[in-house]
Amino acid sequence: MRSKHQISSHFLKVIFLLLILGCSASPRKSMRSRRPCKEMVFYFHDIIYNGKNFKNATSAIVGAPAWGNHTILANNNHFGNVVVFDDPITLDNNLHSPPVGRAQGLYIYDKKEIFTSWLGFSFVFNSTAHKGSINFAGADPLMNKTRDISVIGGTGDFFMTRGVATLMTDAFEGEVYFRLRVDIKFYECW
């Protein structure tokens, strides 16, 4: 009669072998090319409400820590502020260029020690060139010259796309206005 140790050892070997065979026999696609299937560049312009610019504001503080308020970003790297936005998207860096869509979502300032935020937003298009949306999410370490966030899906012309968006702060005017250049590389296109 075999010992429990021998049975356990044989059982583990069989499981390991089945796992290896299952992984190698699965119908996986070969390693994908690291070149993007589509690239796009847009600019989005954020004008934060400061208590005086209601007509021009495209974003507003909707959550603030106890020491903050809803018209001025909090101290300590804006930690605790939640901002929602509905910003125009343009093809160039001119705020007054015709918008091709809207950037809609939120950013959360999520660290006390470092000026950083977490982003969750969509580019919503409704033009002759593009219809649908591109969805983004990720950490945005604002002090870095360029930052990458994930393209996590889309609709319409961008159905189920995935990839990377490289953000670069293109202009910054105090606590009221900033412009981001968004260089999008899709690695899954349908």
Side-chain angles (χ1 to χ4, degrees), residues 81-101:
N81 282 136
V82 179
V83 178
V84 296
F85 59 90
D86 181 17
D87 297 337
I89 306 167
T90 60
L91 294 174
D92 61 20
N93 62 4
N94 185 344
L95 172 62
H96 302 292
S97 292
V100 295

Side-chain angles (χ1 to χ4, degrees), residues 5 7 16 23 25-26 31 35 40 45 63-64 71-72 79 89 124 138 151 156 158 163-165 179 189:
H5 178 55
I7 292 172
F16 181 72
C23 289
S26 67
M31 185 59 129
R35 288 180 293 177
M40 305 175 89
H45 310 264
T71 56
I72 299 171
F79 176 73
I89 306 167
V124 180
V151 175
F158 309 101
V164 174
R179 178 179 60 231
C189 300

Side-chain angles (χ1 to χ4, degrees), residues 20-120:
I20 289 175
L21 289 174
C23 289
S24 64
S26 67
R28 290 186 175 200
K29 294 181 181 178
S30 62
M31 185 59 129
R32 295 176 194 222
S33 169
R34 295 291 179 200
R35 288 180 293 177
C37 51
K38 185 172 191 163
E39 296 184 51
M40 305 175 89
V41 175
F42 297 102
Y43 293 83
F44 81 85
H45 310 264
D46 189 81
I47 303 169
I48 195 161
Y49 175 66
N50 65 1
K52 302 173 192 165
N53 62 347
F54 174 76
K55 289 185 180 185
N56 295 330
T58 61
S59 63
I61 302 167
V62 296
W67 64 86
N69 65 53
H70 287 205
T71 56
I72 299 171
L73 291 166
N75 293 329
N76 295 330
N77 296 312
H78 309 319
F79 176 73
N81 282 136
V82 179
V83 178
V84 296
F85 59 90
D86 181 17
D87 297 337
I89 306 167
T90 60
L91 294 174
D92 61 20
N93 62 4
N94 185 344
L95 172 62
H96 302 292
S97 292
V100 295
R102 306 293 294 184
Q104 299 172 328
L106 61 90
Y107 48 96
I108 302 167
Y109 291 100
D110 58 352
K111 286 194 101 145
K112 282 184 180 180
E113 305 81 27
I114 301 170
F115 192 49
T116 187
S117 66
W118 185 88
L119 299 169

Side-chain angles (χ1 to χ4, degrees), residues 133-150:
S133 65
I134 306 170
N135 305 311
F136 306 86
D140 184 14
L142 297 162
M143 300 312 289
N144 295 353
K145 183 175 179 169
T146 61
R147 297 92 65 191
D148 290 335
I149 61 171
S150 300

Side-chain angles (χ1 to χ4, degrees), residues 32 37-38 40 123 125 129-135 151-163 184 186-190:
R32 295 176 194 222
C37 51
K38 185 172 191 163
M40 305 175 89
F123 278 4
F125 299 95
H130 305 291
K131 295 215 182 299
S133 65
I134 306 170
N135 305 311
V151 175
I152 57 174
T155 64
D157 295 343
F158 309 101
F159 179 72
M160 294 189 57
T161 55
R162 292 197 301 179
I184 305 167
F186 296 117
Y187 291 92
E188 285 190 21
C189 300
W190 289 79

Side-chain angles (χ1 to χ4, degrees), residues 176-189:
V176 177
Y177 173 78
F178 68 85
R179 178 179 60 231
L180 291 180
R181 175 188 161 100
V182 183
D183 184 1
I184 305 167
K185 292 181 175 67
F186 296 117
Y187 291 92
E188 285 190 21
C189 300

